[in-house]
Amino acid sequence: MDDLTAFKPPRYLQNPHLQTILLSQGPRRLRAGHILKKLASSQLLLQAEDGTRLIAELDYAAAGRSALVILLHGWEGSSRSSYLVTTAASLLAQGFDVLRVNLRDHGDSHHLNRELFNSTRSPEVASALQDFLSTQTYDQVFMAGFSLGASFALRIAADAGPELGLDAVIGICPPTDPARAMDALNRGFFGYERYFFKRWYASLQRKLQCFPELDYAADLAAAKSLDDLNRIFIPRYTRYSEVGDYYAAYALVGSRLSALAIPAYLIAAEDDPIIPVDDLKRIDAIESLHIETCRHGGHCGFIENLAARSWVEARMLQILREYMNQAGRLEEVRRQARVM
């Protein structure tokens, strides 16, 4: 379902690049820093069945709903990215416990697993979450992700949603067709490509410091662009010999999400400078998948004012409350039926 009028930023905030930058910089970054100082987060080590270890941070709401929201960051972000922290604060204020999960080689986790991160590793995240959730007794469990984290969240929900006990999933601006997203990065404002290149380059350097035997220092030094890094590292450190095959392996187009058995919400912006919104039309229609698009928002921004408050946090809370209200009404009907 398209909703072209839901998010209406003031005219001075309608530029998609400004929206994208304010996602994690400026006022939002300052606010996130203040929030982090106040949080009493518990750092957890989640372990997948194959031995993969992921770091997560768990925060408990002061007045709990017995409901958990799992948050996944974007590529080269972390559990402490500004947008994840402010979103966590909004959820905590409404009574939701929050688990912020670091993907492999994100945050302070490069030393935990020898193999490199790649974007097809959603099964290990699902398995690590299963390890955590098997010890919990929440009445409702939700998952939400931003950018690449949204792709992970939607794929996990499609592949293992019922097994994990997920009740609903929300994805903000996922890369629907990664090959087209990379083309958009290369053709668009040069700052985005440079940003992700520098972040990935630094991450690979850090990984090499943890595991010198990987011995790719010379190749890394020769790389000058994201395309260079992809050509070097995808054939050597993933199961895919061709870059195109790798991109196709985690694309959401076609029937990739057809197994979704829980409510799923995909929120995107028409002016996203990184993710081509037209690719959403290539996702097969699925009854449980609700697609919402806004005219403005940039990449995951949806910034409403100069304090960098994000509309998408409010929309996420609205979705969760609607689901919980519906679940409550259904349970009441079932209770009445048992009484009768």
Side-chain angles (χ1 to χ4, degrees):
M1 177 183 67
D2 289 342
D3 188 358
L4 296 174
T5 60
F7 172 60
K8 293 181 177 179
R11 187 177 299 276
Y12 60 83
L13 284 176
Q14 290 182 2
N15 182 281
H17 303 299
L18 182 59
Q19 284 282 333
T20 302
I21 291 168
L22 289 176
L23 165 70
S24 56
Q25 301 299 321
R28 201 175 195 186
R29 185 174 183 177
L30 291 173
R31 192 165 79 253
H34 292 308
I35 292 169
L36 280 172
K37 292 177 182 178
K38 296 178 181 179
L39 290 178
S41 308
S42 299
Q43 188 172 97
L44 307 178
L45 189 63
L46 312 183
Q47 184 158 318
E49 189 174 10
D50 66 0
T52 299
R53 295 176 294 170
L54 304 178
I55 293 176
E57 295 186 86
L58 177 63
D59 292 288
Y60 295 103
R65 294 173 175 263
S66 190
L68 173 73
V69 181
I70 300 164
L71 294 180
L72 301 180
H73 58 79
W75 186 33
E76 295 305 331
S78 76
S79 61
R80 299 198 161 200
S81 290
S82 300
Y83 55 90
L84 226 62
V85 172
T86 61
T87 301
S90 296
L91 292 165
L92 289 165
Q94 295 300 315
F96 295 93
D97 291 352
V98 179
L99 182 72
R100 292 172 284 129
V101 180
N102 287 285
L103 303 177
R104 176 194 290 250
D105 293 349
H106 290 73
D108 188 23
S109 70
H110 294 74
H111 62 291
L112 291 178
N113 308 285
R114 184 182 183 280
E115 294 79 11
L116 297 175
F117 169 82
N118 73 67
S119 299
T120 70
R121 292 187 178 274
S122 56
E124 70 183 26
V125 180
S127 181
L129 289 173
Q130 180 65 66
D131 176 60
F132 168 76
L133 292 171
S134 65
T135 67
Q136 306 300 308
T137 57
Y138 287 104
D139 292 336
Q140 283 94 26
V141 178
F142 306 98
M143 181 182 293
F146 293 80
S147 193
L148 183 60
S151 172
F152 269 75
L154 290 165
R155 283 180 282 143
I156 289 169
D159 298 341
E163 290 80 5
L164 290 173
L166 296 180
D167 291 283
V169 62
I170 303 169
I172 314 299
C173 300
T176 310
D177 183 339
R180 294 237 310 149
M182 189 59 65
D183 286 343
L185 270 177
N186 288 330
R187 293 195 315 268
F189 175 55
F190 76 96
Y192 298 133
E193 196 275 346
R194 287 294 85 190
Y195 171 83
F196 284 110
F197 172 75
K198 290 178 180 178
R199 299 278 292 193
W200 190 15
Y201 191 98
S203 177
L204 289 166
Q205 284 184 316
R206 190 171 180 184
K207 188 73 172 184
L208 194 57
Q209 292 170 357
C210 297
F211 299 96
E213 67 274 16
L214 290 173
D215 194 27
Y216 54 67
D219 286 332
L220 183 60
K224 303 301 180 186
S225 68
L226 281 176
D227 283 343
D228 289 344
L229 291 177
N230 282 322
R231 283 192 292 266
I232 293 167
F233 285 92
I234 288 173
R236 286 181 59 180
Y237 296 101
T238 77
R239 67 177 68 182
Y240 305 97
S241 59
E242 299 294 333
V243 173
D245 292 338
Y246 167 71
Y247 289 149
Y250 69 99
L252 304 180
V253 296
S255 62
R256 177 61 182 88
L257 300 178
S258 61
L260 274 170
I262 62 172
Y265 299 82
L266 194 165
I267 300 172
E270 287 191 342
D271 65 354
D272 191 323
I274 296 175
I275 309 298
V277 73
D278 286 348
D279 290 339
L280 294 175
K281 299 174 183 177
R282 298 165 55 206
I283 299 176
D284 288 356
I286 306 162
E287 184 176 358
S288 57
L289 177 62
H290 310 275
I291 297 177
E292 303 177 6
T293 59
C294 300
R295 295 193 189 280
H296 304 287
H299 185 60
C300 295
F302 302 96
I303 302 300
E304 293 183 302
N305 52 42
L306 290 178
R309 301 284 176 176
S310 177
W311 165 87
V312 85
E313 294 177 10
R315 177 61 184 132
M316 189 179 297
L317 284 166
Q318 183 182 37
I319 290 170
L320 298 181
R321 284 196 294 263
E322 287 174 353
Y323 176 86
M324 294 184 73
N325 289 339
Q326 290 172 2
R329 288 193 294 270
L330 181 59
E331 180 58 32
E332 178 62 19
V333 169
R334 289 172 176 168
R335 189 188 68 80
Q336 292 290 344
R338 288 194 295 269
V339 170
M340 295 174 64

